[in-house]
Amino acid sequence: MHFSPRYLAASPPTLHRQHLVAFAQEHQWPLAVHPYAVSATSPCDRITIRHSRAEEGLGPHLTVTARTGPGAPERWRADVGGATPVEFLASLTSAVARGLEADADHLIYGIAGGTEPDMVELHVDARWELADRLGLVAFQSVDGLAAIVGRPPGTGAPPLEGDEDILWHVFAATPDLGPMWGISFTQEAPPFVVNAVLNNTLSPEPLVRPAALAQHPDLAHLVTARPVRPPADRSPRSGPGLPPPMPGPAQQPHTR
């Protein structure tokens, strides 16, 4: 199915937990399961992704934490709250895994010289409007239901989500439901990780996901869902004025 706009394709926190478990298995990160939380830690012990089932509402229930080493203080953090589209979460975790494999120091410290960009580059089209309020830089969707807000360091702008360390916050809200979801990044988060989420949000393309993934019933009047059309079959066909297709060589079964 195609879901548009993509930022209203909400996903329940239980699906975030399933994604974390699948992510840990795919990348072979040790997974710790507790009664109310699940956490995956990178083999180098510098990245931890934790999902808490005890957190409710819009508060962050999934947190990505980066440290310089085992037991070291937090260097940067990304918080995921509410019914964030699981595809946005996947773009975050994929960027982290890719960065850790390509250049761990660039991911942790933001050291220049890696192959990833060293600044946040937003690709914005006419579906988003620029706003500058109270020293905050924001892009708001023209329907008014989603926004990306940046707090430049040293501007004296009010803190985002009540946290002085947060540099970027992306979220969606509706008049009927109020805040739906949000993702925040602290100041030292590497730009290529931030880019992965923000540009996923800004993309004008619909999300493509299985129809079996439940959509929030209260958003049905705001989200357009269309079936994905299968690619056209361009194989030769017999018909008036056309010879029948020629048989190809017999295929032998493959053995392993």
Side-chain angles (χ1 to χ4, degrees):
M1 296 289 288
H2 281 156
F3 291 88
S4 182
R6 57 177 39 227
Y7 44 79
L8 294 184
S11 299
T14 53
L15 195 57
H16 302 166
R17 182 180 184 275
Q18 294 174 21
H19 169 75
L20 176 57
V21 173
F23 171 87
Q25 293 172 345
E26 177 184 358
H27 295 278
Q28 298 183 349
W29 286 25
L31 189 69
V33 180
H34 305 285
Y36 296 102
V38 175
S39 61
T41 303
S42 63
C44 64
D45 209 20
R46 295 200 284 179
I47 302 289
T48 298
I49 307 176
R50 184 178 187 275
H51 180 280
S52 173
R53 288 186 290 178
E55 298 295 336
E56 298 180 355
L58 193 65
H61 57 258
L62 188 144
T63 301
V64 181
T65 305
R67 295 181 172 83
T68 58
E74 170 190 300
R75 178 162 177 80
W76 62 263
R77 187 183 78 252
D79 294 325
V80 178
T84 297
V86 70
E87 294 84 356
F88 294 6
L89 172 58
S91 65
L92 168 59
T93 56
S94 295
V96 169
R98 184 181 69 247
L100 193 63
E101 180 179 351
D103 189 339
D105 285 341
H106 188 60
L107 174 70
I108 302 297
Y109 298 99
I111 297 175
T115 59
E116 303 288 358
D118 291 315
M119 60 184 299
V120 173
E121 301 172 349
L122 301 182
H123 303 283
V124 185
D125 65 12
R127 295 172 180 83
W128 295 78
E129 298 174 332
L130 176 65
D132 187 348
R133 301 187 183 95
L134 302 175
L136 299 172
V137 177
F139 290 95
Q140 184 174 10
S141 60
V142 292
D143 60 13
L145 302 180
I148 292 173
V149 184
R151 182 177 183 260
T155 62
L160 298 174
E161 298 299 287
D163 188 338
E164 290 279 352
D165 289 334
I166 292 179
L167 179 62
W168 290 99
H169 181 60
V170 54
F171 65 95
T174 71
D176 296 333
L177 300 177
M180 287 175 44
W181 62 266
I183 303 178
S184 300
F185 297 91
T186 57
Q187 295 186 27
E188 300 298 334
F192 70 89
V193 174
V194 180
N195 277 332
V197 174
L198 299 194
N199 283 313
N200 198 341
T201 308
L202 289 166
S203 173
E205 298 298 323
L207 281 181
V208 180
R209 60 165 52 158
L213 286 184
Q215 173 61 30
H216 199 301
D218 294 333
L219 297 175
H221 66 294
L222 297 173
V223 179
T224 300
R226 294 189 177 94
V228 178
R229 292 184 178 181
D233 184 1
R234 299 183 181 275
S235 60
R237 297 177 181 272
S238 61
L242 293 176
M246 294 296 292
Q251 298 294 317
Q252 298 296 324
H254 294 281
T255 58
R256 294 181 181 273

